Short mmCIF file of all heavy atoms in Angstrom, two decimals:
data_model
loop_
_atom_site.label_atom_id
_atom_site.label_comp_id
_atom_site.label_asym_id
_atom_site.label_seq_id
_atom_site.Cartn_x
_atom_site.Cartn_y
_atom_site.Cartn_z
N PHE A 2 1.93 1.25 0.78
CA PHE A 2 2.82 2.42 0.83
C PHE A 2 3.38 2.72 -0.53
O PHE A 2 3.51 3.90 -0.93
CB PHE A 2 3.95 2.18 1.85
CG PHE A 2 4.84 3.37 2.01
CD1 PHE A 2 4.43 4.46 2.62
CD2 PHE A 2 6.15 3.32 1.49
CE1 PHE A 2 5.28 5.60 2.77
CE2 PHE A 2 7.01 4.37 1.63
CZ PHE A 2 6.55 5.52 2.30
N GLU A 3 3.74 1.69 -1.31
CA GLU A 3 4.28 1.91 -2.64
C GLU A 3 3.26 2.61 -3.56
O GLU A 3 3.65 3.45 -4.41
CB GLU A 3 4.69 0.56 -3.29
CG GLU A 3 5.93 -0.04 -2.62
CD GLU A 3 5.59 -0.80 -1.36
OE1 GLU A 3 4.38 -1.20 -1.17
OE2 GLU A 3 6.48 -1.02 -0.52
N GLN A 4 1.96 2.30 -3.40
CA GLN A 4 0.95 2.96 -4.19
C GLN A 4 0.86 4.43 -3.84
O GLN A 4 0.56 5.25 -4.71
CB GLN A 4 -0.39 2.27 -3.96
CG GLN A 4 -0.45 0.85 -4.53
CD GLN A 4 -1.72 0.14 -4.16
OE1 GLN A 4 -2.43 0.55 -3.19
NE2 GLN A 4 -2.05 -0.90 -4.85
N LEU A 5 1.07 4.78 -2.64
CA LEU A 5 1.05 6.20 -2.26
C LEU A 5 2.23 6.96 -2.76
O LEU A 5 2.18 8.14 -3.02
CB LEU A 5 0.95 6.36 -0.69
CG LEU A 5 -0.30 5.82 -0.05
CD1 LEU A 5 -0.17 5.87 1.46
CD2 LEU A 5 -1.51 6.66 -0.51
N MET A 6 3.34 6.27 -2.90
CA MET A 6 4.61 6.94 -3.30
C MET A 6 4.53 7.36 -4.77
O MET A 6 5.20 8.24 -5.19
CB MET A 6 5.80 6.04 -3.06
CG MET A 6 6.16 5.89 -1.61
SD MET A 6 6.53 7.44 -0.79
CE MET A 6 8.02 7.89 -1.61
N ILE A 7 3.83 6.65 -5.63
CA ILE A 7 3.79 6.99 -7.03
C ILE A 7 3.28 8.40 -7.30
O ILE A 7 3.95 9.18 -7.95
CB ILE A 7 2.98 5.92 -7.85
CG1 ILE A 7 3.71 4.61 -7.81
CG2 ILE A 7 2.77 6.37 -9.29
CD1 ILE A 7 2.94 3.42 -8.31
N PRO A 8 2.11 8.80 -6.72
CA PRO A 8 1.71 10.18 -6.95
C PRO A 8 2.65 11.19 -6.36
O PRO A 8 2.89 12.22 -6.95
CB PRO A 8 0.36 10.25 -6.29
CG PRO A 8 -0.14 8.84 -6.19
CD PRO A 8 1.10 8.02 -6.07
N VAL A 9 3.22 10.89 -5.21
CA VAL A 9 4.16 11.83 -4.59
C VAL A 9 5.38 11.98 -5.44
O VAL A 9 5.80 13.10 -5.71
CB VAL A 9 4.54 11.33 -3.15
CG1 VAL A 9 5.72 12.17 -2.64
CG2 VAL A 9 3.34 11.35 -2.24
N SER A 10 5.94 10.91 -5.96
CA SER A 10 7.13 11.01 -6.77
C SER A 10 6.87 11.71 -8.10
O SER A 10 7.71 12.35 -8.63
CB SER A 10 7.72 9.61 -7.01
OG SER A 10 6.86 8.82 -7.78
N ALA A 11 5.65 11.61 -8.60
CA ALA A 11 5.31 12.25 -9.85
C ALA A 11 5.35 13.78 -9.66
O ALA A 11 5.56 14.50 -10.66
CB ALA A 11 3.95 11.79 -10.31
N TYR A 12 5.13 14.25 -8.48
CA TYR A 12 5.05 15.66 -8.25
C TYR A 12 6.27 16.21 -7.41
O TYR A 12 6.29 17.33 -7.01
CB TYR A 12 3.77 16.06 -7.54
CG TYR A 12 2.57 15.75 -8.38
CD1 TYR A 12 1.74 14.66 -8.05
CD2 TYR A 12 2.25 16.53 -9.51
CE1 TYR A 12 0.61 14.41 -8.85
CE2 TYR A 12 1.13 16.23 -10.25
CZ TYR A 12 0.33 15.21 -9.93
OH TYR A 12 -0.74 14.94 -10.70
N ALA A 13 7.16 15.32 -7.17
CA ALA A 13 8.34 15.70 -6.32
C ALA A 13 9.12 16.93 -6.84
O ALA A 13 9.36 17.89 -6.10
CB ALA A 13 9.26 14.53 -6.11
N TYR A 14 9.47 16.89 -8.11
CA TYR A 14 10.23 17.99 -8.63
C TYR A 14 9.43 19.25 -8.73
O TYR A 14 9.92 20.36 -8.50
CB TYR A 14 10.85 17.65 -10.03
CG TYR A 14 11.92 16.56 -9.95
CD1 TYR A 14 11.81 15.38 -10.63
CD2 TYR A 14 13.04 16.71 -9.12
CE1 TYR A 14 12.84 14.40 -10.59
CE2 TYR A 14 14.02 15.73 -9.03
CZ TYR A 14 13.91 14.62 -9.76
OH TYR A 14 14.87 13.64 -9.72
N MET A 15 8.16 19.14 -9.09
CA MET A 15 7.29 20.33 -9.17
C MET A 15 7.13 20.89 -7.77
O MET A 15 7.18 22.15 -7.55
CB MET A 15 5.93 19.97 -9.76
CG MET A 15 5.06 21.21 -9.87
SD MET A 15 3.33 20.96 -10.45
CE MET A 15 3.33 19.35 -11.13
N SER A 16 6.98 20.02 -6.75
CA SER A 16 6.84 20.52 -5.38
C SER A 16 8.15 21.23 -4.92
O SER A 16 8.11 22.21 -4.24
CB SER A 16 6.57 19.34 -4.41
OG SER A 16 5.32 18.72 -4.76
N LEU A 17 9.27 20.65 -5.32
CA LEU A 17 10.54 21.23 -4.95
C LEU A 17 10.67 22.63 -5.63
O LEU A 17 11.10 23.60 -4.96
CB LEU A 17 11.72 20.33 -5.40
CG LEU A 17 13.10 20.92 -5.11
CD1 LEU A 17 13.33 21.17 -3.62
CD2 LEU A 17 14.13 19.92 -5.67
N LEU A 35 13.04 19.58 2.02
CA LEU A 35 12.61 18.82 0.87
C LEU A 35 13.78 18.37 0.03
O LEU A 35 13.76 17.24 -0.51
CB LEU A 35 11.62 19.66 0.06
CG LEU A 35 10.91 18.99 -1.12
CD1 LEU A 35 10.24 17.66 -0.72
CD2 LEU A 35 9.92 19.92 -1.80
N LEU A 38 15.20 15.39 1.83
CA LEU A 38 14.26 14.23 1.68
C LEU A 38 14.36 13.61 0.28
O LEU A 38 14.44 12.35 0.16
CB LEU A 38 12.79 14.68 1.91
CG LEU A 38 11.74 13.60 1.69
CD1 LEU A 38 11.84 12.54 2.74
CD2 LEU A 38 10.37 14.24 1.73
N LEU A 39 14.39 14.42 -0.73
CA LEU A 39 14.45 13.89 -2.11
C LEU A 39 15.83 13.18 -2.32
O LEU A 39 15.88 12.09 -2.94
CB LEU A 39 14.26 14.98 -3.12
CG LEU A 39 12.85 15.57 -3.13
CD1 LEU A 39 12.74 16.65 -4.21
CD2 LEU A 39 11.79 14.52 -3.38
N SER A 42 15.90 9.95 -0.60
CA SER A 42 14.93 9.02 -1.19
C SER A 42 15.42 8.52 -2.54
O SER A 42 14.67 7.77 -3.20
CB SER A 42 13.57 9.71 -1.30
OG SER A 42 13.05 10.03 -0.08
N GLY A 43 16.56 8.90 -2.97
CA GLY A 43 17.13 8.35 -4.15
C GLY A 43 16.92 9.18 -5.46
O GLY A 43 17.21 8.70 -6.54
N TYR A 44 16.39 10.36 -5.31
CA TYR A 44 16.23 11.22 -6.52
C TYR A 44 17.57 11.65 -7.03
O TYR A 44 18.56 11.73 -6.30
CB TYR A 44 15.33 12.45 -6.15
CG TYR A 44 13.87 12.08 -6.06
CD1 TYR A 44 13.35 11.52 -4.91
CD2 TYR A 44 13.05 12.28 -7.15
CE1 TYR A 44 12.03 11.19 -4.81
CE2 TYR A 44 11.69 11.92 -7.07
CZ TYR A 44 11.23 11.38 -5.91
OH TYR A 44 9.87 11.06 -5.84
N ASP A 45 17.61 11.98 -8.28
CA ASP A 45 18.83 12.37 -8.99
C ASP A 45 19.40 13.67 -8.42
O ASP A 45 18.73 14.71 -8.56
CB ASP A 45 18.52 12.47 -10.48
CG ASP A 45 19.79 12.66 -11.32
OD1 ASP A 45 20.85 12.24 -10.87
OD2 ASP A 45 19.64 13.16 -12.44
N VAL A 48 19.62 16.82 -10.69
CA VAL A 48 18.33 17.36 -11.04
C VAL A 48 17.73 18.06 -9.80
O VAL A 48 17.17 19.15 -9.95
CB VAL A 48 17.36 16.22 -11.54
CG1 VAL A 48 15.97 16.77 -11.79
CG2 VAL A 48 17.92 15.60 -12.83
N VAL A 49 17.85 17.49 -8.65
CA VAL A 49 17.32 18.13 -7.42
C VAL A 49 18.01 19.47 -7.26
O VAL A 49 17.29 20.52 -6.99
CB VAL A 49 17.51 17.24 -6.17
CG1 VAL A 49 17.26 17.98 -4.90
CG2 VAL A 49 16.64 16.00 -6.24
#
Side-chain angles (χ1 to χ4, degrees):
F2 182 71
E3 291 81 20
Q4 292 173 341
L5 293 174
M6 289 302 292
I7 293 169
V9 171
S10 65
Y12 297 107
Y14 292 123
M15 184 184 343
S16 298
L17 178 60
L35 187 52
L38 176 68
L39 293 179
S42 297
Y44 283 82
D45 189 23
V48 175
V49 168

